[in-house]
């Protein structure tokens, strides 16, 4: 397996691994959230179980009024009987006869209730008015009226039984005709009032019977009397629990609280505090979302990392391929001039040169040596620059002479390719350059101009001073450089894919070396299209000839 394929497999594996990892963490987070939710619910249920056990044990131990303990939800208010003035009353009745509301407050509430009628907003005021203890006939009249108004809003047997009780309690305070009038009103609203009354009297009798026990036993106790339970607390408050009373209100009997709850006694429930559970659920949901957001950010960073790694990997691969190609082409490039030099030198050494041609042979050896030097210099400069080891030594140099000398070294190659080199080299142009580096730049540009001339017969080299700048131009009429490539042409190992380029020898470092050398000499190099075709390379360096006009 090639190393590239191994790398692809590794990268692919890494991506799949990351995706899998994040998917697993996301689903773990979701599962953890669900578990935490059900844990929270079972914690609440467990706490409720404990509370119920505690209440039941308290009920057994103290025989007390467990119904009144905190956290309980009483749903049979009408069926709870309390000891009131020596008699047992349904708890709601007793409520209505205890002095919880002062007379003036009750009067004010009654007035407000009347003013608000028939709106439902009147109900709370009548409920307040009904809870005051009456003293004279006007108070009784007002209390019973308030109860009737309550009854108009809530068809509740417990209110009906309060009215019955109030009528009985009022004794002589209300006239018999008034009582009969109220009774008639009650019957109109409650056709089964006689059933309620019978059951109420029965319970009152049971309560009265038990009253003796309360007196005798004192202290806390609880007794079951048929379906009813009498519980007396240490505080002396006695409660008679009669589950069936209020059977006319069937809906109330089948009532079960919403949410998590436990039944303490038949029909008596304790419920979990909903707010605490909701709060916990909200906290968990928040935690879950925060977890997801963090994971999403991490996944995005992971994806970025993958993309970064991928890009670096591809870039590295491209560079490696370029380097390999570079080594191959450089070796190839070196071999050609070397074999030419060797061939010509051998022919000369063996005296096999046709007479009169010796000079040509010497010239070829010199030309190829120049070419070899050019290639070797490029490679050496490139390698030094890669290691940051290249140093230039700037000295005032006659660029006119140096440029002409490099151009001269191309004489043979130009002749070979039948290319005419037009020289516009101004005399006495001097600059602060490294002579070797400058020669290498001119060499590389001319070498390329010849290489990529593609049969064109003319190249132009120019050197002039303009506004304090030395401007070197190398123009050819060759294949030109496509715009897309122009941007990268000075980068290392960049070569056009054009057949006309790939068919020519080249390593892709010539222009890169030229650019870096020019920059080391504080100059710039750029390329533009020549007209009608070809390229113009322009090198701009500071002139040593005169004042520089920026
Ligand atoms: P090499 O010539 O060894 O390939 P260079 O760095 O000198 O490397 O040039 C890089 C590329 O720029 C060349 O391969 C070629 O595609 C393009 N190029 C350079 N000079 C010219 C030119 N004068 N005309 C057309 N294309 C050129």
């Amino acid at each position: 397996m090639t190393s590239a394929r191994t790398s692809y497999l590794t990268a692919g594996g890494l991506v799949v691994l990351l995706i899998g990892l994040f998917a697993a963490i996301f689903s773990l987070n979701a599962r953890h959230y669900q578990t935490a939710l059900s844990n929270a619910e079972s914690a609440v249920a467990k706490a409720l179980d404990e509370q119920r056990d505690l209440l039941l044990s308290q009920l057994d131990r103290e025989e007390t009024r467990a119904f009144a303990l905190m956290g309980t939800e009483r749903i049979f208010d009408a069926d709870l009987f309390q000891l009131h003035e020596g008699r047992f009353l349904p708890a709601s009745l007793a409520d209505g006869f205890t002095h919880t509301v002062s007379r003036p407050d009750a009067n004010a509430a009654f007035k407000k209730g009347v003013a608000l009628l028939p709106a439902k907003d009147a109900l709370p005021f009548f409920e307040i008015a009904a809870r005051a203890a009456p003293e004279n006939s006007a108070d009784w009249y007002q209390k019973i009226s308030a109860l009737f108004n309550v009854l108009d809003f809530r068809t509740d047997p417990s209110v009906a039984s309060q009215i019955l009780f109030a009528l009985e309690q009022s004794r002589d305070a209300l006239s018999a005709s008034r009582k009969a009038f109220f009774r008639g009103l009650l019957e109109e609203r409650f056709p089964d009032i006689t059933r309620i009354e019978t059951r109420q009297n029965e319970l009152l009798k049971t309560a009265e019977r038990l009253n003796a026990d309360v007196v005798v036993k004192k202290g806390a106790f609880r007794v079951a009397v048929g379906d009813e339970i009498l519980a007396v607390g240490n505080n002396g408050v006695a409660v008679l629990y009669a589950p069936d009373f209020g059977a006319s209100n069937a809906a109330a009997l089948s009532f079960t609280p919403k949410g998590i709850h436990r039944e303490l006694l038949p029909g008596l429930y304790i419920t979990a505090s909903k707010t605490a559970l909701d709060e916990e659920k909200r906290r968990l949901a928040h935690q879950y979302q925060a977890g997801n957001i963090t994971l999403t950010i991490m996944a995005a960073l992971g994806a970025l990392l993958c993309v970064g790694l991928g890009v670096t990997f591809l870039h590295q691969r491209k560079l490696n391929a370029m380097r390999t190609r570079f080594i191959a082409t450089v070796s190839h490039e070196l071999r050609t001039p070397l074999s030419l030099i060797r061939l010509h030198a051998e022919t000369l050494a063996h005296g096999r040169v046709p007479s009169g041609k010796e000079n040509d042979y010497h010239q070829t050896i010199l030309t190829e040596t120049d070419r070899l030097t050019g290639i070797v210099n490029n490679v050496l400069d490139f390698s030094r620059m890669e290691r940051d080891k290249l140093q230039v030594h700037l000295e005032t140099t006659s660029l006119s002479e140096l440029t002409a000398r490099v151009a001269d070294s191309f004489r043979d190659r130009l002749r070979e390719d039948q290319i005419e080199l037009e020289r516009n080299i101004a005399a006495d142009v001097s600059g602060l350059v490294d002579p070797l580096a400058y020669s290498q730049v001119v060499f590389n540009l001319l070498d390329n101009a010849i290489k990529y001339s593609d049969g064109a017969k003319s190249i132009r080299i120019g050197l002039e001073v303009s506004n304090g700048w030395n401007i070197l131009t190398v123009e050819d009429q060759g294949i030109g450089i496509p715009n897309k490539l122009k941007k990268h042409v000075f980068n290392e190992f960049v070569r056009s894919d054009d057949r006309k380029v790939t068919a020519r020898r080249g390593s892709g470092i010539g222009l890169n070396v030229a650019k870096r050398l020019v920059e080391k000499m504080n100059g710039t190099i750029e390329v533009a299209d020549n007209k009608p075709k070809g390229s113009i390379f322009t090198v701009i360096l500071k002139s040593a000839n005169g004042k520089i006009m920026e």
Side-chain angles (χ1 to χ4, degrees):
M1 201 181 298
T2 62
S3 68
R5 196 175 298 170
T6 321
S7 313
Y8 274 132
L9 280 176
T10 315
L14 193 73
V15 171
V16 171
L17 189 80
L18 271 177
I19 293 173
L21 197 72
F22 276 107
I25 300 177
F26 268 111
S27 86
L28 262 181
N29 190 34
R31 209 170 311 157
H32 173 261
Y33 172 56
Q34 289 306 334
T35 319
L37 267 188
S38 64
N39 279 352
E41 278 177 7
S42 33
V44 169
K46 196 165 161 249
L48 210 57
D49 282 341
E50 281 167 8
Q51 198 191 352
R52 178 198 52 201
D53 294 346
L54 184 80
L55 288 175
L56 284 177
S57 77
Q58 261 180 17
L59 197 65
D60 281 341
R61 213 174 45 244
E62 291 181 33
E63 301 292 338
T64 192
R65 188 185 181 202
F67 313 100
L69 289 175
M70 258 179 40
T72 58
E73 186 163 327
R74 294 186 305 162
I75 59 160
F76 288 128
D77 270 0
D79 304 335
L80 296 176
F81 280 68
Q82 285 186 11
L83 198 61
H84 174 69
E85 293 178 3
R87 294 191 72 192
F88 283 103
L89 307 179
S92 54
L93 262 187
D95 268 356
F97 289 92
T98 47
H99 303 254
T100 46
V101 177
S102 72
R103 251 303 119 200
D105 286 349
N107 290 343
F110 187 77
K111 266 193 200 143
K112 256 195 196 142
V114 172
L116 285 170
L117 279 175
K120 203 173 179 346
D121 298 347
L123 178 63
F125 297 105
F126 288 124
E127 276 177 342
I128 293 169
R131 283 173 61 206
E135 282 164 16
N136 51 42
S137 63
D139 293 347
W140 277 110
Y141 187 74
Q142 193 193 69
K143 182 179 180 81
I144 293 169
S145 301
L147 283 170
F148 266 106
N149 279 314
V150 172
L151 198 58
D152 282 345
F153 288 107
R154 303 188 339 225
T155 338
D156 190 336
S158 79
V159 185
S161 91
Q162 282 192 57
I163 297 174
L164 282 178
F165 187 75
L167 289 175
E168 196 196 311
Q169 282 274 104
S170 65
R171 288 183 200 108
D172 304 329
L174 295 182
S175 67
S177 60
R178 274 269 180 249
K179 283 185 195 171
F181 169 74
F182 282 129
R183 171 89 197 188
L185 282 182
L186 198 57
E187 277 169 6
E188 240 173 57
R189 288 173 174 76
F190 265 92
D192 66 343
I193 191 70
T194 337
R195 196 190 65 76
I196 296 175
E197 197 174 15
T198 314
R199 182 71 182 120
Q200 179 184 321
N201 287 336
E202 243 173 60
L203 286 170
L204 284 173
K205 276 205 193 87
T206 311
E208 267 162 23
R209 194 155 40 78
L210 294 170
N211 198 14
D213 269 354
V214 177
V215 177
V216 173
K217 287 197 175 174
K218 298 225 173 70
F221 72 98
R222 184 171 65 138
V223 283
V225 191
D227 279 346
E228 291 99 41
I229 296 168
L230 176 75
V232 180
N234 278 326
N235 56 3
V237 175
V239 174
L240 183 69
Y241 180 68
D244 72 316
F245 186 64
S248 60
N249 195 352
L253 275 177
S254 63
F255 166 87
T256 340
K258 289 195 194 77
I260 303 177
H261 63 272
R262 295 288 180 271
E263 195 169 41
L264 193 62
L265 286 171
L268 179 70
Y269 297 91
I270 49 173
T271 51
S273 153
K274 231 172 99 50
T275 45
L277 184 62
D278 285 351
E279 189 56 39
E280 179 64 4
K281 279 185 179 169
R282 249 199 307 278
R283 195 185 67 77
L284 287 173
H286 192 258
Q287 206 178 44
Y288 172 61
Q289 277 160 4
N292 274 350
I293 290 171
T294 316
L295 278 173
T296 311
I297 293 172
M298 276 169 66
L301 287 178
L304 263 179
L305 189 75
C306 278
V307 171
L309 281 176
V311 169
T312 316
F313 166 71
L314 287 176
H315 184 66
Q316 202 55 44
R317 232 170 68 81
K318 207 168 142 197
L319 274 184
N320 284 345
M322 282 172 161
R323 285 213 166 99
T324 314
R325 204 173 65 189
F326 167 70
I327 290 167
T329 47
V330 164
S331 322
H332 186 73
E333 271 205 84
L334 289 175
R335 203 179 294 152
T336 317
L338 266 179
S339 37
L340 275 174
I341 292 167
R342 189 183 170 84
L343 182 77
H344 284 73
E346 268 178 6
T347 318
L348 278 171
H350 292 116
R352 291 202 297 260
V353 180
S355 67
K357 290 279 179 187
E358 289 87 354
N359 206 24
D360 288 354
Y361 274 64
H362 281 125
Q363 199 52 54
T364 306
I365 291 173
L366 280 177
T367 310
E368 291 307 316
T369 310
D370 279 347
R371 185 187 286 189
L372 202 60
T373 312
I375 298 166
V376 170
N377 280 345
N378 268 342
V379 174
L380 281 179
D381 284 353
F382 181 72
S383 141
R384 278 193 203 118
M385 285 187 279
E386 285 289 278
R387 287 178 286 129
D388 233 1
K389 285 272 157 51
L390 185 100
Q391 288 189 347
V392 290
H393 303 282
L394 303 182
E395 52 190 76
T396 309
T397 312
S398 165
L399 299 189
S400 309
E401 278 175 29
L402 213 48
T403 313
R405 206 179 305 154
V406 178
D408 286 346
S409 72
F410 280 92
R411 201 173 29 216
D412 278 12
R413 268 182 73 192
L414 289 165
R415 201 178 42 217
E416 242 170 59
D417 290 7
Q418 297 171 343
I419 295 174
E420 196 191 318
L421 178 65
E422 190 188 324
R423 299 178 187 216
N424 288 318
I425 302 172
D428 301 329
V429 178
S430 64
L432 198 60
V433 298
D434 178 317
L436 282 177
Y438 180 80
S439 304
Q440 189 71 26
V441 173
V442 180
F443 178 91
N444 287 355
L445 295 181
L446 275 176
D447 185 48
N448 280 350
I450 298 170
K451 260 201 306 193
Y452 303 118
S453 262
D454 189 36
K457 296 296 167 211
S458 162
I459 292 175
R460 189 180 160 276
I461 184 161
L463 179 68
E464 57 172 352
V465 184
S466 170
N467 286 339
W469 298 97
N470 292 333
I471 301 175
L472 168 78
T473 46
V474 177
E475 300 173 30
D476 64 61
Q477 316 226 329
I479 59 172
I481 301 176
N483 278 338
K484 225 169 84 189
L485 191 68
K486 264 197 209 105
K487 283 183 230 149
H488 313 290
V489 88
F490 292 103
N491 293 348
E492 72 250 47
F493 308 128
V494 171
R495 296 202 82 202
S496 161
D497 291 336
D498 190 333
R499 274 274 308 134
K500 285 174 184 162
V501 171
T502 52
R504 307 305 304 256
R505 286 177 295 149
S507 50
I509 58 168
L511 285 183
N512 180 252
V513 168
K515 183 179 165 70
R516 294 213 239 181
L517 289 177
V518 168
E519 281 170 358
K520 286 237 175 227
M521 295 186 289
N522 308 316
T524 57
I525 182 167
E526 55 194 42
V527 63
D529 290 334
N530 199 4
K531 294 263 161 56
K533 61 197 217 42
S535 314
I536 308 178
F537 282 87
T538 308
V539 175
I540 302 176
L541 290 162
K542 255 181 200 170
S543 171
N545 288 64
K547 220 173 92 202
I548 291 174
M549 291 158 64
E550 302 276 346

